[in-house]
Amino acid sequence: MGIYIKESIKNSKILGKVKKMIQLIPVIIKIYILYAFIFGVVIFAFYKHNVSNYRETHPVDRFWGKGLGQDRVALVEDRYESGLARINLIENAQETIDISYYTIEKGVSADIFWGSIINAADKGVKVRVLLDGIFHNLKDDMKDIIYVCYNHPNIQLKLYEPLNVFKPWTWNNRLHDKIIIVDNELAMIGGRNIGDRYFTKEENGELVTNDRDVVILNTKKENISNSVIGEMKEYFNKTWNCKFSKLPLKRIRKGQKKKGEEKAKWLKNYISKLKETEEEMFNHPFDWREISYPTNKVTLIHNPIERFNKEPWCWYDITNLGKAAEKSIFIQSPYIVPTNKMLKHINIKNDLPEKADILTNSLTTNPNLMGTAGTMLRRKDVVDAGINLYEYQGTESIHAKSYIFDERVSLVGSFNVDGRSAYLSTETMVVIDGEEFAEHFKEEIKNQIDQSLMVGKDYSYIEDPNIEAKKPTVLKMIIIKFLSILAYFFDFMI
């Protein structure tokens, strides 16, 4: 009986401790949320970035070339064509492929992308793939891709700044680049991620995103020192070898190895069947020399590779080009959210040329709710500065990030006009000095301008009988109004 009583007392004490621990869980969660908010959000409002001599050592006149340059550039606008272009680049690689992407969304495009990479690696091509460490989407059944890469002797995979729940200040150090470099000869850069909505032929009532890439051809493959491809490879190597880029696996278990083998086999069979049913996808001819334009010079710009707030190298160069422009400037971004800190580097009323145009999504076409809320806050300021603001009214969204200065210098890449691109993420753009390319580029952009409405001085649309203003749903308006409050205080995170 005494033993029974002692056991009961002992068990009741254990239960008491368990109850106390359970009661502590909500407290621990609240403390963690507060910790994450302070060190994952608030700290970025106060942390001052490093200041270097970048502006002194990188003058704006370095972007203009004299005479004919070594690089030719092709513009890739069409969604379906851009997917075929990626297949073409990977299939025709002879020695190396370096790939850097923010996200690869699950779907047909991802399967074709990975299957093409495996086939190239099987031929002896050395492939390196660097993906963002949080938004890579290698989860669920796509997680087997990690095992595929580990198994293959010619494929290396790294993740840039993988999620660390104990270090919330690392959550904003995101890899936003979209780059493919093939051998020493070809490179693609732009705003597209890998996903069906970026490459679909038809809309089919689903989310469709229009974007833009450029393909750069080094006309002297044996010499990359005078080609922007040399700069791109150097940047990729720095990012690949930096301390933030990690191998997703240090060792592989037997079961994982088998899953990788099965996934690789499935992807190769999938590509093999597609080649029979969709032959044009894999035999689509791209004569890059024929469809490209000559340039005087092509230059890569990028942000520094570091944590916390970065020195805004890309924004320095973009604003310097804006100040140097004498006749005109065109800007396209999915959303326009320049923070007060960004605007310290340029006076949008005085530093821009007389003709300044901005093309962005309308409230209806922009799927990024936070970006839309931030844009709505800055919309009045843009119009008041005398800038011609065009808002896209098409059935899709536009995701391209591009600039044209004085109808001569063009920029294409990953940089959005927002605080995140300026200070937080890795970003890359190519600066293309070439009047012939800029003229062609401008004509392509006109197709989207023609589906847009200009915002008048009273902040309402100037009527156009050929374009119907899209009306957002009541629910979206309510959400945007709520998010605008958050965007006002946390625009540096958008």
Side-chain angles (χ1 to χ4, degrees):
M1 187 69 174
I3 294 172
Y4 175 76
I5 292 170
K6 286 181 180 179
E7 284 295 322
S8 297
I9 293 170
K10 184 179 179 181
N11 290 336
S12 65
K13 286 181 178 179
I14 293 171
L15 286 172
K17 288 180 180 180
V18 170
K19 285 180 180 179
K20 285 181 179 179
M21 289 177 67
I22 292 172
Q23 289 171 351
L24 281 174
I25 290 175
V27 177
I28 294 170
I29 291 173
K30 289 177 182 177
I31 291 172
Y32 177 77
I33 292 173
L34 180 62
Y35 167 73
F37 180 69
I38 292 172
F39 292 99
V41 178
V42 177
I43 191 173
F44 290 91
F46 301 97
Y47 184 89
K48 293 184 178 180
H49 61 73
N50 295 325
V51 178
S52 69
N53 62 346
Y54 181 88
R55 281 177 285 189
E56 290 73 31
T57 56
H58 293 75
V60 70
D61 59 7
R62 78 187 194 278
F63 294 123
W64 290 281
K66 295 180 180 179
L68 186 65
Q70 188 168 307
D71 293 328
R72 296 179 65 87
V73 178
L75 187 65
V76 186
E77 287 279 311
D78 182 77
R79 294 189 301 269
Y80 187 63
E81 287 285 314
S82 71
L84 300 187
R86 283 165 170 78
I87 295 171
N88 176 273
L89 291 174
I90 295 170
E91 279 200 324
N92 288 286
Q94 300 296 315
E95 298 172 355
T96 62
I97 306 174
D98 292 328
I99 296 170
S100 183
Y101 270 95
Y102 174 66
T103 188
I104 299 181
E105 300 171 1
K106 181 180 178 180
V108 172
S109 299
D111 291 339
I112 294 173
F113 190 70
W114 287 115
S116 299
I117 286 172
I118 294 167
N119 283 340
D122 284 349
K123 293 188 300 182
V125 177
K126 300 293 183 181
V127 184
R128 294 185 293 178
V129 183
L130 180 62
L131 302 178
D132 180 76
I134 293 180
F135 297 100
H136 49 72
N137 277 325
L138 298 182
K139 55 188 178 181
D140 302 325
D141 57 336
M142 280 191 71
K143 190 174 182 180
D144 293 345
I145 292 294
I146 296 174
Y147 313 140
V148 172
C149 295
Y150 189 96
N151 285 340
H152 206 294
N154 290 331
I155 304 176
Q156 290 179 283
L157 172 67
K158 282 188 177 182
L159 303 180
Y160 180 91
E161 197 73 277
L163 179 64
N164 187 327
V165 296
F166 300 109
K167 295 181 179 180
W169 53 89
T170 67
W171 300 349
N172 287 302
N173 184 23
R174 305 279 38 97
L175 177 89
H176 199 235
D177 306 323
K178 290 96 172 163
I179 298 172
I180 301 175
I181 308 169
V182 175
D183 301 328
N184 291 330
E185 185 177 17
L186 290 161
M188 173 181 275
I189 184 171
R192 284 184 177 93
N193 297 300
I194 304 299
D196 292 345
R197 63 192 174 104
Y198 296 95
F199 307 121
T200 182
K201 237 181 191 179
E202 300 174 359
E203 295 173 26
N204 297 324
E206 298 180 4
L207 176 66
V208 172
T209 303
N210 287 329
D211 214 311
R212 179 173 297 120
D213 302 296
V214 290
V215 171
I216 301 155
L217 169 66
N218 173 18
T219 59
K220 299 178 181 178
K221 183 180 178 181
E222 67 284 355
N223 177 20
I224 64 169
S225 60
N226 293 322
S227 168
V228 72
I229 291 178
E231 298 173 27
M232 295 175 74
K233 286 182 80 76
E234 182 182 359
Y235 171 76
F236 182 90
N237 287 335
K238 285 182 179 178
T239 314
W240 177 267
N241 293 318
C242 79
K243 62 183 178 180
F244 310 129
S245 298
K246 311 286 187 183
L247 295 171
L249 282 179
K250 291 184 178 179
R251 62 184 66 86
I252 192 169
R253 298 194 298 271
K254 187 176 180 181
Q256 293 171 332
K257 181 177 175 64
K258 185 177 180 182
K259 283 184 177 181
E261 291 169 349
E262 291 172 351
K263 185 70 172 181
K265 183 178 179 181
W266 184 90
L267 286 168
K268 287 194 283 187
N269 287 338
Y270 179 71
I271 295 293
S272 180
K273 291 176 182 177
L274 269 183
K275 285 183 176 181
E276 295 175 2
T277 59
E278 306 288 342
E279 187 177 351
E280 80 284 353
M281 290 177 62
F282 299 90
N283 293 304
H284 194 85
F286 283 93
D287 186 336
W288 294 115
R289 183 178 288 271
E290 178 66 25
I291 62 178
S292 61
Y293 290 85
T295 66
N296 301 323
K297 189 176 183 182
V298 185
T299 309
L300 179 74
I301 61 174
H302 60 83
N303 279 344
I305 303 167
E306 57 191 28
R307 284 182 181 149
F308 291 104
N309 287 333
K310 299 171 172 59
E311 187 175 16
W313 289 357
C314 282
W315 187 239
Y316 285 165
D317 287 325
I318 291 168
T319 52
N320 284 340
L321 281 164
K323 293 172 186 176
E326 297 177 353
K327 300 175 183 177
S328 64
I329 176 174
F330 170 83
I331 300 171
Q332 180 177 357
S333 180
Y335 29 86
I336 307 293
V337 197
T339 64
N340 290 333
K341 193 177 359 177
M342 291 172 68
L343 292 175
K344 288 180 181 178
H345 298 289
I346 190 166
N347 186 317
I348 60 174
K349 287 187 178 181
N350 301 322
D351 289 343
L352 298 181
E354 185 176 346
K355 181 172 172 52
D357 299 333
I358 291 180
L359 172 62
T360 190
N361 281 297
S362 66
L363 196 153
T364 307
T365 59
N366 198 338
N368 186 314
L369 296 177
M370 204 65 188
T372 305
T375 301
M376 292 301 106
L377 287 176
R378 289 292 182 183
R379 191 171 185 260
K380 182 177 182 294
D381 296 335
V382 171
V383 175
D384 289 348
I387 296 172
N388 300 320
L389 178 61
Y390 294 90
E391 294 184 349
Y392 187 67
Q393 306 293 324
T395 55
E396 329 84 13
S397 70
I398 50 176
H399 192 251
K401 311 94 165 53
S402 306
Y403 302 76
I404 304 176
F405 298 94
D406 283 344
E407 300 185 3
R408 172 176 171 171
V409 174
S410 311
L411 276 74
V412 177
S414 66
F415 188 97
N416 296 308
V417 181
D418 61 20
R420 181 166 291 278
S421 283
Y423 297 100
L424 297 177
S425 300
T426 68
E427 302 289 353
T428 44
M429 302 282 284
V430 284
V431 183
I432 304 160
D433 176 21
E435 291 185 20
E436 195 175 347
F437 175 80
E439 183 180 353
H440 170 65
F441 190 7
K442 187 180 176 182
E443 283 300 311
E444 289 294 330
I445 289 168
K446 188 176 182 295
N447 295 328
Q448 293 180 343
I449 292 282
D450 288 344
Q451 298 180 66
S452 305
L453 287 172
M454 185 175 168
V455 180
K457 292 182 179 179
D458 62 351
Y459 318 116
S460 64
Y461 289 134
I462 297 173
E463 290 187 13
D464 184 329
N466 299 315
I467 303 173
E468 179 185 356
K470 294 290 192 301
K471 294 182 179 179
T473 63
V474 174
L475 177 60
K476 188 169 187 178
M477 285 295 297
I478 293 171
I479 294 172
I480 294 302
K481 284 187 177 297
F482 170 73
L483 291 178
S484 294
I485 299 171
L486 295 177
Y488 179 81
F489 293 102
F490 302 107
D491 62 349
F492 58 92
M493 302 296 290
I494 296 175

